[in-house]
Amino acid sequence: MASPLPAVHDTPDPDFAELLARRPQLKAHALDGLLMDEVPLVQIARAVGTPSWVYSAATLRRRYGALRDALAEAGLDASIHFAAKANDSLAVLRVLAAEGAGADVVSEGELRAARAAGIPAGRIVFSGVGKSHREIALALEEGILQINAESAEEVERISEVASAIGRVAPVSLRINPDVDARTHAKISTGLAENKFGIAYTDAAALYARMASLPGIRPIGLAVHIGSQITEGMAGYRAAYSRVAELAQALIGRGLPVERLDCGGGLGIPYRDEVPPSPAALAGAIKATLGPLGLPVMLEPGRWIAGPAGVLLASVVLQKRGQNRRFVVLDAAMNDLVRPAMYDAWHGILPLAPDLLHAPLSPADVVGPVCESGDTFTRGRALPDLPPGALVAFLDAGAYGATMSSTYNARPLAAEVLVDGHRWAVTRPRQTHEALLANQVMPEWLGAGA
């Protein structure tokens, strides 16, 4: 399949020291090499193998706390619901649940994962454009906080399902504010051309319709304009201003508006971006929605989990082309698809202490999958990496494992949680036997070898 190449940047890539300086969860030890918190990553790689995902519990707690504190300091009555699509590891969800986080889910699987991790149903929001009858019924039976409806057709479906099982669904209407978040086209969700939400001009009439339908309790409005937003607060302010205007109009008509869902999307610095801070986001919410005096909700995913994770990989070999050096890893696009799908840039650090200070030369870092798109980066300055050398892809804690696949019949990688000096495998590496176990051979084809 054709895939875009990693983007060309106008500024030099950050060097190893700059990458480490911006990531307090990582440090270079003179003997043990690259550490996550207090654990040498080479220790995990040798014990568990590669590729493997590794997450820092301390980083999850720190970043959740920073966002929570920024909202509190702005005087907002706010709750945080972690976007499970970013990372649905039960261990990650459990760490955040213990901090008081709720969850934003978009499927039955994510709802079940959130509940299994200990997140109360009353802290769960169900979003997404295509909820099935089964998913709506499960959400209502679990007693979740709210369903974010994204179309008139879905509103009718929710009413039908809720009435059939004798429940009343708390429903928030997601509006599409037609606001440009100035992010990658594939993760923009707030433009009229995107599939998400109700057209702003249709929202008031549909909200009034919801109030008249059986099995539905309208509770508010929701908006989410995109992911990995790094271009300041203009998009947020524009979207929230439209939400405030609509909420005031609905209240003026005597319709109930209990709370407002502000979505997520706050970006992180993968390379040298300078994204807005949680305090800036809290300020934008206060300035636009604060005068309404309503509770607000946020649904961050990447901002909390992205910097908390790395993907460990081993060098299979270095291939010398006519004009290029290829570093071939055992990790591939089926593990980390973001570079192939989004032109995404991820920092790459060797784990060995000597390689962190060795001479550098340009290299194309690729995986073993049979696709030209299985390219993580081109021309990256890296040391000589002999077979068996270990590297870490940085900022891989969001949209890494959750977007991975078994393409080329490659088993899913292991997952590990680090907590201080402790670490544990939280999802064992999938075996080849498990990869084939759920396939059934039609009897007329006969037995295999």
Side-chain angles (χ1 to χ4, degrees):
M1 69 186 195
S3 298
L5 299 177
V8 176
H9 298 278
D10 294 330
T11 58
D13 288 335
D15 61 26
F16 292 169
E18 290 168 329
L19 290 172
L20 286 167
R22 299 182 71 173
R23 292 159 179 83
Q25 70 276 18
L26 298 173
K27 51 184 174 288
H29 188 276
L31 298 178
D32 295 327
L34 191 64
L35 272 63
M36 175 175 278
D37 298 330
E38 299 173 43
V39 177
L41 287 171
V42 67
Q43 180 185 117
I44 295 175
R46 287 173 178 166
V48 180
T50 57
S52 291
W53 306 95
V54 186
Y55 309 121
S56 162
T59 303
L60 293 167
R61 296 185 188 110
R62 181 174 65 250
R63 294 184 71 83
Y64 176 86
L67 182 56
R68 178 195 57 212
D69 293 348
L71 295 167
E73 289 167 8
L76 295 167
D77 179 4
S79 58
I80 300 173
H81 305 264
F82 176 70
K85 62 182 175 287
N87 191 316
D88 61 9
S89 161
L90 295 187
V92 167
L93 295 176
R94 178 68 65 87
V95 169
L96 294 173
E99 297 299 300
D104 168 51
V105 305
V106 296
S107 70
E108 176 179 346
E110 289 183 358
L111 173 55
R112 292 186 181 278
R115 298 292 287 123
I119 296 177
R123 288 195 217 146
I124 296 177
V125 180
F126 203 134
S127 304
V129 301
K131 308 175 195 73
S132 67
H133 283 79
R134 174 189 169 103
E135 289 174 322
I136 294 168
L138 176 63
L140 296 178
E141 288 162 356
E142 287 286 321
I144 70 167
L145 178 64
Q146 73 184 46
I147 297 174
N148 287 347
E150 304 223 12
S151 66
E153 294 82 357
E154 185 180 36
V155 167
E156 299 290 339
R157 173 176 288 183
I158 294 170
S159 173
E160 175 188 334
V161 174
S163 298
I165 64 174
R167 299 295 180 102
V168 176
V171 179
S172 181
L173 196 62
R174 177 174 175 177
I175 67 165
N176 186 317
D178 197 18
V179 166
D180 187 357
R182 297 181 62 79
T183 187
H184 193 287
K186 292 183 180 179
I187 49 177
S188 173
T189 62
L191 289 169
E193 65 194 51
N194 301 138
K195 67 181 180 181
F196 300 94
I198 312 293
Y200 186 80
T201 53
D202 298 335
L206 182 55
Y207 199 91
R209 167 72 175 155
M210 283 203 314
S212 70
L213 288 173
I216 288 186
R217 177 169 65 92
I219 57 169
L221 300 170
V223 68
H224 177 66
I225 59 173
S227 185
Q228 183 54 10
I229 297 171
T230 60
E231 297 291 326
M233 287 291 109
Y236 281 120
R237 285 179 177 270
Y240 296 156
S241 294
R242 302 209 83 185
V243 170
E245 178 184 342
L246 180 57
Q248 287 175 322
L250 295 174
I251 293 169
R253 293 174 59 176
L255 295 168
V257 179
E258 299 178 16
R259 54 182 176 263
L260 302 172
D261 186 337
C262 299
L266 197 60
I268 63 172
Y270 285 101
R271 188 175 179 270
D272 54 3
E273 306 92 335
V274 184
S277 67
L281 178 60
I285 295 171
K286 183 175 183 179
T288 52
L289 301 176
L292 295 172
L294 295 171
V296 297
M297 308 159 60
L298 275 80
E299 295 159 0
R302 184 192 317 269
W303 196 87
I304 291 175
V310 298
L311 173 63
L312 303 183
S314 299
V315 176
V316 177
L317 54 86
Q318 287 192 111
K319 175 182 175 181
R320 301 285 176 174
Q322 185 173 9
N323 299 306
R324 313 185 76 83
R325 171 170 66 117
F326 295 95
V327 176
V328 185
L329 304 179
D330 62 354
M333 65 184 290
N334 74 291
D335 300 301
L336 181 62
V337 74
R338 295 189 70 256
M341 182 175 286
Y342 301 130
D343 306 338
W345 194 98
H346 283 268
I348 303 173
L349 290 178
L351 303 194
D354 58 319
L355 294 180
L356 285 167
H357 304 285
L360 308 177
S361 63
D364 294 0
V365 182
V366 302
V369 157
C370 193
E371 297 273 356
S372 295
D374 187 22
T375 299
F376 294 113
T377 189
R378 290 192 171 177
R380 185 73 62 88
L382 291 169
D384 183 60
L385 294 168
L390 297 164
V391 299
F393 287 87
L394 309 186
D395 307 308
Y399 305 103
T402 54
M403 295 182 74
S404 60
S405 74
T406 58
Y407 185 45
N408 280 194
R410 290 170 48 84
L412 296 174
E415 293 186 74
V416 173
L417 183 73
V418 169
D419 199 349
H421 65 278
R422 302 173 296 181
W423 66 272
V425 175
T426 57
R427 186 181 71 176
R429 185 177 313 283
Q430 187 179 32
T431 64
H432 286 93
E433 292 75 15
L435 187 64
L436 300 176
N438 290 330
Q439 297 192 44
V440 178
M441 189 73 70
E443 61 180 26
W444 66 82
L445 293 180

